[in-house]
């Protein structure tokens, strides 16, 4: 992910949804089955998932199950573990070294 984040221009967005072990719904129970089919499957806990965003600020509501991203979602009331995943959105910050020429002159 660091290579992708570094290659993207300032202001770019990265949205990630990743399998997560949310008690009692342990997605890691599928690791062996996926592996037997030749598919790498590695659920991450919230801390490891956060690391995928590096130093980018994760937008509100933060890292949440996908059905809780928008409060008006028809399934937002369901327990977090139902999704078996977390979702997040972050934008690459503008820094003095990533500002465009137009931004520097304004």
């Amino acid at each position: 992910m660091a290579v992708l984040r570094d290659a993207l221009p300032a202001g770019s967005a990265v949205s990630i949804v990743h399998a997560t072990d949310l008690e009692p719904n342990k997605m890691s129970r599928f690791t062996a089955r996926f592996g037997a089919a030749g598919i790498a499957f590695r659920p991450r806990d919230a801390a490891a998932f956060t690391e995928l965003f590096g130093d980018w600020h994760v937008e509100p509501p933060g890292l949440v199950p996908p059905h809780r991203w928008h409060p008006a979602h028809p399934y937002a009331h369901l327990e977090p573990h139902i999704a078996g995943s977390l979702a997040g959105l972050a934008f690459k910050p503008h820094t003095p070294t990533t500002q465009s020429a137009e931004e520097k002159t304004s």
Side-chain angles (χ1 to χ4, degrees), residues 10-96:
S12 294
V14 170
S15 173
I16 305 172
V17 177
H18 201 289
T20 307
D21 282 338
L22 299 172
E23 294 292 340
N25 188 9
K26 294 222 171 228
M27 296 307 290
S28 57
R29 72 185 188 277
F30 297 113
T31 302
R33 291 181 192 165
F34 276 92
I39 302 168
F41 181 71
R42 185 178 134 204
R44 289 178 167 86
D45 61 22
F49 181 61
T50 300
E51 291 174 11
L52 296 176
F53 291 98
D55 62 351
W56 294 21
H57 173 72
V58 177
E59 296 293 313
L63 303 179
V64 296
H67 63 282
R68 295 229 171 142
W69 178 259
H70 193 283
H73 190 283
Y75 300 118
H77 68 282
L78 296 176
E79 294 296 321
H81 70 270
I82 296 296
S85 62
L86 291 174
L89 171 69
F91 290 91
K92 184 170 185 173
H94 289 273
T95 64

